[in-house]
């Protein structure tokens, strides 16, 4: 008798969304004046998946890329990082989106998107992706896919329902992109509906205020906790982050000092560190410290993913910070 094939390896984390080619300006100044660019990749969810793999976890990303050079590069780069791409579809009818990003030495860069009708926006649910999700321990979701198209929004709802039914923990980062939504009211309504389906919600304080109407950080967190969320982590830029839980606990973590050159991707690094700590069974204070460290290190390079640390680099950074 032929033995049954072994089940696929269980992934620690699955995430999904759109990957885009990214052309990062090699010169300072406005994008309209730049003549030289370096190719890279962009996408909040692939940043999180990459960060988790570098920290020693297994992570898979679900999405669609075009049958074009940018799509081929994205797949090759993700596979080289060790991100599982078994549920990535190559779309023969739509192109991979891309963006231009300015070079800065401090603050936020200028970013211009070219993503309308992209392959990534054609993400849609299927039985195969349902099965893939059920093979993971944790699902990470952002508010971006739900803004891209009706099918991507349907995928988001079904992925979260599948994950909860299968016993996965679910994290949700609003990652608001107002330009992708038809209006603010729909953005707020949809993002809050998704947040209420998650175990943890990870907004920036400004996002939380916009989404809930509350101003005080504890009130923003309380708004989500009252709707069934187990943990809310509010990120407040240079003032650090605070984790609130349903039992009434609150823990604050200051920003860890680094020489930041590009803040894009800091929130994704923070999410990767927080999820990593959860997978390793760490408590709230240690989880916040790891999240803050990964987020800080993510800002030390010009690429969205280049500064994401390995486990060895993370531990070295935390030891150095503890000894300071």
């Amino acid at each position: 008798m032929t033995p049954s094939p072994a089940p696929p390896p269980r992934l620690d984390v699955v995430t999904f969304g759109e990957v885009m080619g990214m052309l990062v300006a090699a010169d300072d100044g406005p994008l309209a004046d730049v003549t030289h660019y370096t190719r890279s990749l962009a996408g909040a969810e692939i940043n999180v998946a990459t960060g988790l793999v570098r920290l020693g976890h297994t992570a898979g990303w679900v999405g669609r890329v075009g049958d074009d050079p940018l799509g081929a590069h994205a797949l090759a780069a993700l596979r080289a990082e060790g991100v599982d791409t078994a549920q990535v579809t190559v779309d023969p009818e739509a192109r991979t989106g891309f963006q231009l990003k300015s070079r800065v030495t401090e603050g936020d860069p200028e970013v211009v998107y070219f993503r309308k009708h992209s392959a990534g926006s054609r993400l849609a649910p299927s039985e195969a992706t349902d099965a893939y999700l059920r093979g993971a321990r944790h699902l990470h979701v952002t508010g971006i896919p739900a803004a891209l198209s009706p099918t991507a929004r349907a995928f988001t709802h079904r992925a979260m329902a599948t994950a909860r039914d299968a016993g996965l923990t679910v994290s949700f980062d609003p990652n608001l992109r107002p330009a992708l939504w038809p209006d603010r009211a729909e953005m707020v309504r949809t993002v809050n509906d998704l947040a209420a389906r998650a175990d943890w919600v990870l907004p920036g304080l400004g996002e939380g205020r916009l989404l809930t109407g509350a101003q005080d950080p504890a009130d923003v967190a309380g708004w989500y906790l009252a709707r069934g969320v187990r943990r809310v982590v509010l990120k407040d830029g240079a003032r650090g982050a605070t984790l609130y839980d349903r039992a009434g606990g609150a823990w604050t973590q200051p920003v860890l000092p680094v020489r930041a050159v590009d803040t894009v991707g800091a929130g994704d690094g923070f999410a990767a560190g927080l999820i990593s700590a959860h997978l390793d069974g760490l408590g709230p204070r240690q989880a916040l410290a790891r999240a803050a460290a990964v987020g800080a290190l993510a800002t030390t390079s010009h690429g969205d993913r280049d500064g994401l640390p390995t486990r060895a680099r993370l531990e070295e950074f935390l030891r150095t910070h503890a000894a300071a």
Side-chain angles (χ1 to χ4, degrees):
M1 179 182 295
T2 303
S4 300
R10 184 177 176 87
L11 292 167
D12 290 324
V13 180
V14 169
T15 188
F16 61 91
E18 180 175 26
V19 64
M20 292 176 289
M22 179 166 64
L23 300 179
V24 183
D27 313 315
D28 295 335
L31 287 173
D33 298 335
V34 172
T35 56
H36 297 91
Y37 291 85
T38 300
R39 182 179 66 177
S40 186
L41 292 179
E45 300 85 8
I46 67 160
N47 295 341
V48 173
T50 299
L52 285 161
V53 170
R54 290 187 188 176
L55 292 174
H57 306 286
T58 55
W61 176 76
V62 181
R64 295 175 76 91
V65 298
D67 186 10
D68 52 48
L70 289 177
H73 170 65
L75 278 175
L78 289 172
R79 289 167 180 164
E81 286 283 359
V83 175
D84 188 85
T85 60
Q87 285 299 316
V88 177
T89 299
V90 177
D91 191 326
E93 299 177 355
R95 295 294 188 184
T96 307
F98 73 97
Q99 65 174 245
L100 304 179
K101 178 180 174 182
S102 68
R103 179 184 177 90
V104 296
T105 55
E106 61 181 17
D108 296 334
E110 178 187 4
V111 179
V112 178
Y113 298 101
F114 301 83
R115 69 197 307 177
K116 190 173 183 178
H117 305 308
S118 66
S121 70
R122 289 156 61 95
L123 181 66
S126 70
E127 292 184 3
T129 53
D130 290 346
Y132 187 72
L133 290 167
R134 285 193 288 267
R137 295 170 59 191
H138 182 87
L139 173 68
H140 180 66
V141 183
T142 80
I144 299 171
L148 297 177
S149 69
T151 60
R153 188 177 302 185
F155 185 102
T156 303
H157 283 284
R158 183 156 147 182
M160 296 182 84
T162 299
R164 295 302 296 269
D165 289 346
L168 281 66
T169 47
V170 179
S171 53
F172 179 75
D173 187 337
N175 243 310
L176 296 183
R177 299 290 189 273
L180 297 178
W181 293 91
D183 57 65
R184 174 171 164 168
E186 183 175 343
M187 177 180 74
V188 169
R189 182 174 59 253
T190 303
V191 170
N192 280 336
D193 176 62
L194 294 172
R197 301 165 187 253
D199 295 295
W200 329 330
V201 179
L202 319 175
L205 179 57
E207 291 179 320
R209 286 170 169 164
L210 187 157
L211 290 166
T212 67
Q215 295 302 305
D216 184 79
D219 292 338
V220 173
W223 194 92
Y224 288 110
L225 293 169
R227 286 157 176 80
V229 174
R230 289 164 48 192
R231 286 183 170 181
V232 178
V233 183
L234 284 176
K235 299 165 287 184
D236 191 14
R239 286 173 288 277
T242 302
L243 186 156
Y244 301 85
D245 70 13
R246 195 185 297 172
W251 297 262
T252 296
Q253 169 67 46
V255 168
L256 300 179
V258 295
R259 184 182 178 277
V261 299
D262 186 342
T263 57
V264 174
D268 303 328
F270 187 97
L274 199 70
I275 296 166
S276 170
H278 163 69
L279 295 170
D280 286 348
L282 301 185
R285 194 169 300 283
Q286 290 176 298
L288 275 177
R290 181 176 294 185
V294 179
L297 289 168
T299 71
T300 60
S301 70
H302 286 288
D304 292 5
R305 299 178 303 134
D306 296 347
L308 292 168
T310 62
R311 178 67 69 119
R313 175 72 181 103
L314 170 66
E315 292 176 351
E316 176 190 12
F317 178 77
L318 286 171
R319 282 195 302 270
T320 300
H321 176 74

